[in-house]
Amino acid sequence: MRLIAASLLLSALATPAFGQNSDKPFDGASITAITGVDNASAFGTSGTGVLYGGQIGYDIQSGKTVFGVEGEVAGASTKYCTSPTATTKFCDKAGRDLYVGGRLGYVVGRSTMVYGKAGYSNGRDSVTYTDSVTPANNSKGAGNQDGWRAGVGVETRISDHLIAKAEYRYTNYANSDYGRNQGVVGLGFRF
């Protein structure tokens, strides 16, 4: 919530800096660096870490409505462990996350857009299992999991080409108990 409030404040301050250069401020291609908070959970436990990555996108603005597509590559420092028994330990570390999807936005004011997004996500995680009584059962592995993502956000034009955004999104990976809640901020360039 603080991220969205800060972005709205930034948009209010940046509105005078945004010139009358375009009647379609959210039309065209963009590239954005992102960072934020990643909370991943599985098997009844969770962990929080830092998310980092980049997005590319293309939007078409028609009146105040914006239709767009975007792709993202991100990583995270998130790791969490649980001990199902006194002698066993299960740990999961979130890895890279790929996303491709669409977004639908609405322009408010001259330089701010609110939007919803949804699409496909593919996450990678590394799992370790240790058993102090039976070390032969110890194992390590990594795998990819397909899923879906949905989110909401706000984007604002700081200048003719510079953009800032804040968004919340949830990702659920199919056929598993693995999900992620993320709060993200980004700074980018619109072409």
Side-chain angles (χ1 to χ4, degrees), residues 140-156:
K140 287 184 179 182
N144 296 329
Q145 300 185 56
D146 296 319
W148 56 269
R149 174 179 296 167
V152 294
V154 61
E155 180 176 314
T156 189

Side-chain angles (χ1 to χ4, degrees), residues 26-106:
F26 294 98
D27 205 57
S30 65
I31 185 167
T32 306
I34 60 169
T35 189
V37 177
D38 177 51
N39 179 272
S41 61
F43 308 108
T45 189
S46 66
T48 301
V50 176
L51 171 134
Y52 48 87
Q55 298 173 332
I56 58 170
Y58 191 86
D59 296 305
I60 297 172
Q61 183 174 343
S62 175
K64 292 201 170 272
T65 304
V66 179
F67 305 92
V69 294
E70 63 183 358
E72 176 181 309
V73 177
S77 65
T78 311
K79 182 178 180 180
Y80 49 96
C81 297
T82 186
S83 297
T85 69
T87 61
T88 60
K89 186 175 184 180
F90 170 83
C91 292
D92 192 9
K93 181 177 183 329
R96 66 107 183 104
D97 191 38
L98 305 175
Y99 167 77
V100 63
R103 70 180 188 164
L104 178 61
Y106 186 78

